[in-house]
Amino acid sequence: MKVTAIKGVGEKTALALAKLNINEVEDVFLHLPRNYDIYERPILIKEIDNKAVVSIEGTVIRSLEMSHIKNLTVISTTIRDEAGDTIKVKWFNMPFLRNTVKYSMKFIFRGRIKRLNNSIVMEQPEILTLGKYDEKINEMQPIYSLTKGISNNLMIKTVKEALKMCNHKDYMPDDMRGKYDICEYKFAINNIHFPADYEALKLARKRLAFDEFFAFIYKMNKLKEKEIAIPNQYIINNFELSDNIIKNLEFELTNSQKSVLEDIRNDISGNKVMQRLIQGDVGSGKTIIAFLSMFDMAYAGLQSALMVPTEVLANQHYESINKIIEDNNLDISVVLLTGSMTAKQKKLAYEKIVNKEALIVIGTHAVFQEKVVYDKLALVVIDEQHRFGVMQRATLMEKGYNPHVIIMSATPIPRTLAIILYGEMDISIIDELPANRLPIKNCVVTKDYRPKAYKFIENQVNQGRQAYVICPMIEENDMLEAENVVDYANVLRENLPSNINVQYLHGKMSAEGKNDLLTKFYNNEIQVLVSTTVIEVGINVPNATVMMVENAERFSLASLHQLRGRVGRGNHQSYCVFISATNSEEKLKRLEILNKSNDGFYIASQDLKLRGPGDFFGIRQSGEMQFNIADIYTDADLIEKAKKAVEEFISKDYEFIDKNMNNDIFIIA
Ligand code: ADP
Ligand code: MG
């Protein structure tokens, strides 16, 4: 049913909603809040820390003053809390407040904290009596992703109306719901938008996460039925080329790498098509394994494609493989295929692929687009993007290809989970790092440490090394108190000698701009790279030895673990400096986990234990394996349940129609 069926939604609103991919009434249900506005218990002024919005119970200790700035009328006063601390509060264009807010009165003030130099001000607070606030406490208002023409209030109204039309029959029969301990679909969808309370929200989220896993595992089961033991159309027995390349490498493969390579060789020389997941922590050397297998295909005159999640990574792999080709004087042509290439460049690439001039293709999801026609696609390697890999098989099969598939992942998932999520895949694990690696030294510090950190970076650069500095934001933003790459690069330029080239990088730059900067960084023409987390996945610059992260408290530990994996990739001692903008013990404790462990799964699961309800939707851990709401770390137990449920479902011949679950392939462009 079209959205226009919803009361209050006209053509104009429908057009705006379409921009959010909301076309049908169903889509409204699944436009989940990205967070909730919660009226939490008031806190003391000294507890504000770096919170953005707070409620303070305070007494007005000064009569309201009015002033004019440009065309704004500003009303301001100061309030004092129970502990005797004071904070200034300000309102814009609300002169009438002088009639309600008076000297010595007590209210709860709820507003945004604005920081200026060393002082803080609360802006535009709501004013509530203690009684009124008590009623509102813990009430959760959904906050949605919006677009022009759709305000949060309009979204709320639309969702409310749409929910009245929700008449879904739950696909999960009552007895099974009881058994797997999940709530009704209708309850879930109502409470995910407008939670009755926190418990209801948890139940709702659990149900929807369960549904996502259920749909995913169900589909995989169907897929598996179809492809049991697909015969190997591309039997490779000759490994002469890869053996020669291995001999010419600057390093010796680790035993783990050798054993994985052996697994692959057994697969591709066998009589079934290969489907293998290679798990190995960041820096364990997965790329070379992929390249070697691709060379074996090329040697047999067959094509292979390597797909990665970002353009910068595609570019990097493209350069590395070409280096191997040069070093070995090979006559093999590789093409790069990414979304940002011009139509002309793409056309040229397509031609080289279809006429078999290029046997190796490296790119983003562009490598599988409609227009790409392979001659004999014998091997597909997918780097850092599991889920895509599994689902992509179906598409490839539909296109008439039955290639060998390798999926490479740095997310250490316990074997039991991997078996469920990659049901049909065999698993190889690289469980050792190259021998020349020294363990990374970590430290978690506060902002006071910065001068020392800058000095440290300077020393490392003087020794010929390089550094990454990560900031959460691209540029200054009123809403958030956090470092941004543009300003930070300037600060570093001021604090470091002028012979050190400092540049910044972020996701909104053009692909060309990003590639250019990364190439310069790779060649050590740039010594310090200030970046957002775009460099989190896969980037490999072995000469970089310092990873400094500003506002480390804002990142998930899994993300910090990935960032840390950008250093310690060569034979130099590497360092990680996590700078926390907060002194809050709890947050520092969380970061300390990184010091203790190097096991990504352990890190992510501990992280979740230490986070509070306010982080409800902020806790997405895995950058790979993207589900809408479920998270393979938080919901590990649900995955097992969903698997059992799917088995029961299928054995009972129940029908499952996947109409209201968005389980499409997720691609990070
Ligand atoms: P990841 O597993 O994170 O994808 P990469 O494949 O990017 O890791 O490898 C990281 C770095 O380690 C690269 O510079 C690569 O050349 C190097 N490398 C790979 N294998 C070895 C090895 N056996 N000995 C030394 N260095 C290696
Ligand atoms: Mg990699």
Side-chain angles (χ1 to χ4, degrees), residues 126-142:
E126 246 183 292
I127 313 151
L128 295 125
T129 60
L130 309 195
K132 190 92 194 152
Y133 198 87
D134 249 9
E135 284 169 27
K136 282 208 161 206
I137 246 172
N138 290 339
E139 191 182 287
M140 286 179 262
Q141 285 281 351

Side-chain angles (χ1 to χ4, degrees), residues 286-287 317 383-384 538 569:
K286 297 181 290 289
T287 318
H317 284 336
D383 193 10
E384 316 261 4
R569 301 184 142 245

